[in-house]
């Protein structure tokens, strides 16, 4: 699986949008971009994933550049509870049934601190 | 989303004893489960992948005889740390994906983790 590069830490004011960047310049055509977060002393929580189109769910938006070499996770209105380590992971994932999944390999992630 | 539980949430054991950690998928069937380990201030490291009804596949450097994994059903995997030593003290996290009805889930869901302290 392709490697990812994330800034080690970021700060964000409560109520503002948090934009977390991720570089994955060696991503392959069959690799998805996944985002997870880990709040202190808890298991990781799935946030969102995408292949090439922008994605949005109730938690966040994922913006993937046209060349797929980088992406940005957007938390539109950050709260104190969003303080966590955010992991950007590139992973092979093919279709349903007889599927072959790549491993989720965690890097160091970005420590996002949301302050009042 | 799917729920994965772990038991116990924390455990303290004496050096030389064995401890078993359970991982359950509560509302879906997990054909594949993963075990991770996380030391303080470090990222998660994959230890092994277990498939229901077959032997687990261990990552390089992980001792299969020390970390016994059993995935006997579609909703339960266990990790047994045998002859535990203080250096085995860590945060152990399981994860699962599998079928939910007729649809395979792309997302991998994680349990809350088990904090193991070996004295």
């Amino acid at each position: 699986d392709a490697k990812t590069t994330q800034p080690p830490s970021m700060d964000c004011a409560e109520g503002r949008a948090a934009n977390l960047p991720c570089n994955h310049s060696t991503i392959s055509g069959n690799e998805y971009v996944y985002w997870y977060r880990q709040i202190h002393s808890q298991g990781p929580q799935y946030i969102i994933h995408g292949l090439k189109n922008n994605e949005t769910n109730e938690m966040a938006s994922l913006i993937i550049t046209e060349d797929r070499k980088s992406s940005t996770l957007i938390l539109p209105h950050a709260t104190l509870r969003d303080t966590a380590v955010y992991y950007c992971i590139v992973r092979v994932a093919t279709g349903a049934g007889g599927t072959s999944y790549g491993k989720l390999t965690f890097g160091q992630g970005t420590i996002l601190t949301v302050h009042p | 989303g799917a729920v994965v539980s772990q038991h116990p949430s924390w455990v303290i054991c004496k050096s030389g004893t064995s401890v078993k950690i359970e991982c359950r998928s509560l509302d879906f069937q997990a054909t594949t489960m993963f075990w991770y380990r996380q030391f303080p201030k470090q990222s998660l490291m994959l230890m092994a992948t277990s498939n229901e009804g077959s032997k687990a596949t261990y990552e390089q450097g992980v001792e299969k005889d020390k970390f016994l994994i059993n995935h006997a059903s579609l909703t339960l995997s266990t990790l047994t740390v045998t002859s535990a030593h203080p250096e085995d003290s860590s945060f152990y996290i399981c994860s699962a994906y599998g079928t939910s009805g007729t649809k395979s889930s792309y997302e991998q869901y994680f349990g809350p983790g088990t904090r193991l302290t070996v004295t």
Side-chain angles (χ1 to χ4, degrees):
Chain A
D1 295 329
K3 283 190 174 181
T4 63
T5 303
Q6 299 178 252
S9 64
M10 292 183 65
D11 287 334
C12 177
E14 189 177 19
R16 306 296 288 262
N19 298 285
L20 291 88
C22 179
N23 285 325
H24 31 79
S25 58
T26 61
I27 192 170
S28 299
N30 61 348
E31 289 180 314
Y32 285 66
V33 179
Y34 280 77
W35 283 85
Y36 282 79
R37 73 180 182 184
Q38 185 178 26
I39 296 170
H40 183 63
S41 294
Q42 296 182 24
Q45 177 188 22
Y46 166 80
I47 301 174
I48 199 167
H49 77 279
L51 181 62
K52 53 183 177 181
N53 297 323
N54 298 337
E55 302 287 344
T56 296
N57 63 20
E58 64 279 3
M59 289 184 68
S61 294
L62 173 60
I63 308 298
I64 302 175
T65 58
E66 193 169 342
D67 62 7
R68 301 186 69 236
K69 293 185 176 182
S70 65
S71 61
T72 301
L73 178 74
I74 301 173
L75 307 179
H77 305 287
T79 70
L80 299 179
R81 287 178 294 181
D82 291 322
T83 292
V85 180
Y86 286 77
Y87 297 98
C88 170
I89 303 168
V90 170
R91 178 204 193 193
V92 171
T94 57
T99 299
S100 173
Y101 294 97
K103 301 171 187 176
L104 275 179
T105 301
F106 288 80
Q108 294 305 307
T110 296
I111 301 172
L112 174 68
T113 303
V114 181
H115 51 85
Chain B
V3 179
V4 177
S5 70
Q6 282 185 242
H7 178 80
S9 56
W10 59 271
V11 58
I12 301 173
C13 71
K14 291 189 176 181
S15 186
T17 62
S18 297
V19 61
K20 179 185 287 187
I21 302 170
E22 293 185 348
C23 175
R24 294 182 185 273
S25 57
L26 297 187
D27 53 357
F28 67 104
Q29 294 180 321
T31 53
T32 303
M33 286 183 169
F34 305 86
W35 286 95
Y36 291 79
R37 180 168 56 182
Q38 185 175 33
F39 292 109
K41 298 190 183 300
Q42 295 187 23
S43 189
L44 286 80
M45 295 294 293
L46 179 65
M47 298 176 67
T49 302
S50 74
N51 292 292
E52 185 266 336
S54 63
K55 289 184 178 180
T57 302
Y58 291 81
E59 295 299 302
Q60 191 172 8
V62 178
E63 300 175 58
K64 62 180 181 180
D65 294 330
K66 180 171 181 62
F67 299 98
L68 302 179
I69 292 172
N70 186 303
H71 192 163
S73 77
L74 286 172
T75 59
L76 173 65
S77 176
T78 61
L79 169 69
T80 301
V81 183
T82 63
S83 187
H85 291 287
E87 56 265 30
D88 298 323
S89 298
S90 187
F91 192 48
Y92 292 86
I93 308 168
C94 74
S95 177
Y97 70 77
T99 57
S100 176
T102 58
K103 181 181 176 182
S104 289
S105 172
Y106 285 88
E107 299 84 11
Q108 198 169 314
Y109 297 96
F110 287 80
T114 297
R115 178 79 55 192
L116 170 64
T117 301
V118 184
T119 61

